[in-house]
Structures are given as structure tokens and as C-alpha cells.
Amino acid sequence: MLCEADFRRPQGLERLVEAIRDPHLPPMRLMEVCGTHTMALARTGVRQLLPPQVKLISGPGCPVCVTPANVMDEVLRIAALPGVTLTTYGDLMRVPGSKPGFDLRRQKALGADIQVVYSPMDALELAKAHPEQQVVFLGVGFETTAPVTALAVLEAQRQGLQNFSLLCLLKATPPALRALLSQEDFGVDGFLCPGHVATILGADAFLFLPQEYEKPAVVAGFEAGDLVAALHLLITQVKNHAPKLENEYTRAVSREGNQMAQGVMAQVLDPKDDTWRGLGNIPNSGFGLKPEFAAYDAAARFGFSPAPQTTPSPCRCGDVICGRIGPRECPLFGTVCTPDNPVGPCMVSGEGACAAAYLYGRE
């Protein structure tokens, strides 16, 4: 019996590697949901440990990647408004809208006041220091960043700030997985579940995968040993036709999750329908501010209304996100689309599948 301590020792890691390279394994497709997993699997070389019959594909776990181009168009419009300071995490600066090459970095070069911050609390400080400006925080992320974003709204209310607002583009992970599983052409045999999201929601948030869809699921950490151990558990489940939820990341993830963080989210945010790149509109897959926090809603303040996207794009990020194709199957990969000249968000983000495949020479 292998336990978590095994992969902390070199001989334990060797045993795990040997186990997942069983030549008698049946063909299987496994999806890592988290963008941080995607990059870690590529960077550490764990993908190369897998036998050819085990295919590891990326899912919709990069918040930058799942933000549609028409939504970015509206972000760019708001950023250009006079008297507005748009604050954002750095990985959004180079995400293009529907017009190729036009992103927040270019908007800033044209004179827009756009500031990169490390936390929504930094945006609050900017609002306090510049009362003449309307400071907008671009809240993109999953349940991992939702609590601190909600906390910033509570703090803005406590301080009575009139010039701070949140453009809430936060998204919920479980509804996206349900949407994927409802697609007729979606053939995935098991899921490597996101450790960061599970620290907030708890491992049990992914129980629906084995219970409702009979899909093996393992919550995983982010070190090479975590990933190898989690893949061993997941492959064993698939091989034995024994779907269940297992938690490899026990040192950080409990069954119930962080109830204080969940409480802050519930106090400030309501679920809402939202649109994902590649997946379309998904019920209850996003978050919006509760009515009592309407004064801090940038969407209401600035009339946020993305136009329908009618022009098809040659970028295949949507198909990569949904696991329909690998990054190298996109005709733009590595030629027209590179990290220095990205066409789609999957090549921009530090959690993007295309960036991982390009930087580390493998998908």
C-alpha cells in the first residue's frame, strides 16, 4: 500500500513511477482541470513518465483562457473611459479581445490608466489615494480568488469608498465540469481535480464526478511527487473500473474546505449564469454581487454588455480548453501564435495549455 509519505522519499517516487508505467494498462484519457497542474506537469516532465496508452489532456482550469474575447472587448472599453483606473492581475494584460493584437497593454500605451496589482486590496489602496479616479478591479478567477475579492468589497463598504468597484468575472469550477460531461463527444475517463479550488470548496465538492457520472477523480497537489502519486491513484481507479473520489493533497485539502472563505463568498456573491470560451453559457457557473453591494458593481456603473461574437477566429483555444484537441493541433501553434505574439489566451497565460506545450516542448 502506497501512502502520501512514500512520494516524499526517492525510493517511494520510484515505486510510483513504476506503477504508472504498467505496460498492461488499457487506453485512457485523463483530464487535469487546473491550469497550474497543466504547467507543472509540463515543467517537471511528469507527462513523459506516462505510457503511450495514457493520454493526459487539459481542461478549462485557466481563468484567463476561459474569458471570451467579447468580454475582453468590454474590459478594453471600460479601461479607456476618462476618469477610470482599471486594476488587474498581470496575466490579463496581454489577453486579446476580438481584434487581434489589441489588449490591455496596448490600451495602456494609448493612454489608458491601467495598473497591475497583486491583490484587490492593492486596488482599494489606489482608490483611497486617488479619490478623483474611479478605480475598477478586474476580478477574474475561480473559487480560489473569489474569497479575497469578496473581502475587498466588504472592506470598501466598511471604509465607505465611493470610487471603488468590482468588475466581477469570477467563475465556478464544478458547473463547467458538468457542462463538459454533458457533451456527446467528451470522452474522458478520469479527472485530476484542482487542489487550489479544493482548499476553498473542500474535496467533497468533486464527489459528483464518481457519484453522478461514474468518473474517477483525485484531488492533487502541485509538486512532482504530488502529481505522480495522484496519477497513480487515478490510473488505478480507471484500470480497476472503480470510480471514487480520492484526496492526494491531504496536507492542504479537507473534505469540507475552508468554511470561513466560503462564508465570505456567500455573504457577498450570488451564483449567476455565465459564458465560457469554448463552452458557451453555463447555468450558475459565474458569480455576481448581491443586491446589497450594487454600489460596488462596475458592470452596472459602466454598462457592461458584451456584444455577440459573430466573426469566427482561427484560434482554437476553445477546443483546447474543452479537450477536443491538443495545443499542437491548432494550425496557429508555434507559427502565427507564440508567447511573444499570442493570438489566443491559452498562449498568454502562465497556466495556459498552449504556453506549457510551447515552453516545454510537449503537450
Side-chain angles (χ1 to χ4, degrees):
M1 175 70 70
L2 295 168
C3 64
E4 183 175 339
D6 282 330
F7 67 81
R8 300 291 169 192
R9 297 188 293 269
Q11 66 270 28
L13 182 57
E14 290 172 5
R15 292 171 61 206
L16 289 166
V17 170
E18 183 180 352
I20 67 172
R21 300 196 73 176
D22 180 356
H24 303 295
L25 290 174
M28 61 182 74
R29 284 164 50 90
L30 309 177
M31 174 174 277
E32 87 273 359
V33 176
C34 176
T36 308
H37 280 157
T38 297
M39 191 59 72
L41 286 161
R43 185 182 63 251
T44 59
V46 169
R47 284 182 182 273
Q48 290 183 316
L49 300 177
L50 299 175
Q53 65 268 41
V54 177
K55 184 171 178 59
L56 197 56
I57 58 177
S58 302
C62 163
V64 169
C65 303
V66 301
T67 303
N70 60 338
V71 171
M72 285 304 303
D73 289 340
E74 276 293 271
V75 171
L76 289 164
R77 179 186 67 81
I78 291 173
L81 293 175
V84 168
T85 298
L86 183 78
T87 59
T88 177
Y89 296 127
D91 56 357
L92 277 163
M93 289 295 290
R94 298 177 64 224
V95 176
S98 57
K99 183 180 178 181
F102 202 79
D103 53 24
L104 288 173
R105 186 177 57 171
R106 183 175 178 188
Q107 194 77 289
K108 182 178 176 69
L110 292 173
D113 188 1
I114 301 170
Q115 303 289 331
V116 173
V117 295
Y118 294 98
S119 163
M121 296 302 178
D122 295 340
L124 284 182
E125 292 302 314
L126 277 172
K128 288 165 62 177
H130 299 280
E132 75 284 359
Q133 288 287 104
Q134 286 292 330
V135 176
V136 178
F137 177 68
L138 183 53
V140 173
F142 297 123
E143 294 91 345
T144 312
T145 56
V148 70
T149 305
L151 194 61
V153 174
L154 286 174
E155 185 62 17
Q157 184 186 62
R158 187 188 71 80
Q159 296 186 27
L161 292 177
Q162 302 297 312
N163 65 324
F164 171 85
S165 58
L166 167 67
L167 188 55
C168 192
L169 304 181
L170 296 166
K171 286 180 164 58
T173 306
L177 298 184
R178 291 180 181 274
L180 277 174
L181 286 161
S182 69
Q183 297 182 353
E184 291 184 3
D185 59 346
F186 184 69
V188 165
D189 299 297
F191 289 88
L192 206 62
C193 297
H196 289 149
V197 170
T199 61
I200 303 298
L201 296 184
D204 283 0
F206 298 99
L207 268 173
F208 71 94
L209 292 170
Q211 290 183 349
E212 298 179 31
Y213 297 95
E214 297 185 346
K215 297 293 184 182
V218 178
V219 176
F222 301 93
E223 298 177 14
D226 289 307
L227 295 168
V228 174
L231 284 167
H232 170 256
L233 294 172
L234 191 58
I235 289 170
T236 301
Q237 285 190 46
V238 175
K239 178 182 177 181
N240 295 335
H241 305 286
K244 57 184 174 180
L245 175 69
E246 294 184 274
N247 179 14
E248 180 277 330
Y249 201 25
T250 54
R251 64 187 185 279
V253 175
S254 64
R255 290 188 58 185
E256 67 278 3
N258 187 325
Q259 296 185 338
M260 183 178 295
Q262 293 170 27
V264 171
M265 290 170 60
Q267 184 179 352
V268 177
L269 304 171
D270 272 336
K272 67 171 186 176
D273 298 351
D274 207 350
T275 302
W276 296 54
R277 186 186 295 263
L279 288 167
N281 189 265
I282 304 174
N284 294 322
S285 66
F287 294 100
L289 288 172
K290 287 181 177 291
E292 53 265 42
F293 298 100
Y296 302 97
D297 189 350
R301 180 174 292 181
F302 299 104
F304 189 79
S305 182
Q309 194 158 342
T310 56
T311 304
S313 170
C315 170
R316 300 288 301 276
C317 272
D319 290 324
V320 172
I321 289 165
C322 295
R324 299 187 190 105
I325 66 171
R328 297 178 186 281
E329 295 175 74
C330 174
L332 306 185
F333 179 86
T335 55
V336 176
C337 185
T338 67
D340 290 332
N341 183 39
V343 176
C346 295
M347 188 63 85
V348 173
S349 174
E351 297 183 344
C354 294
Y358 186 93
L359 291 171
Y360 299 103
R362 49 194 178 274
E363 294 182 24

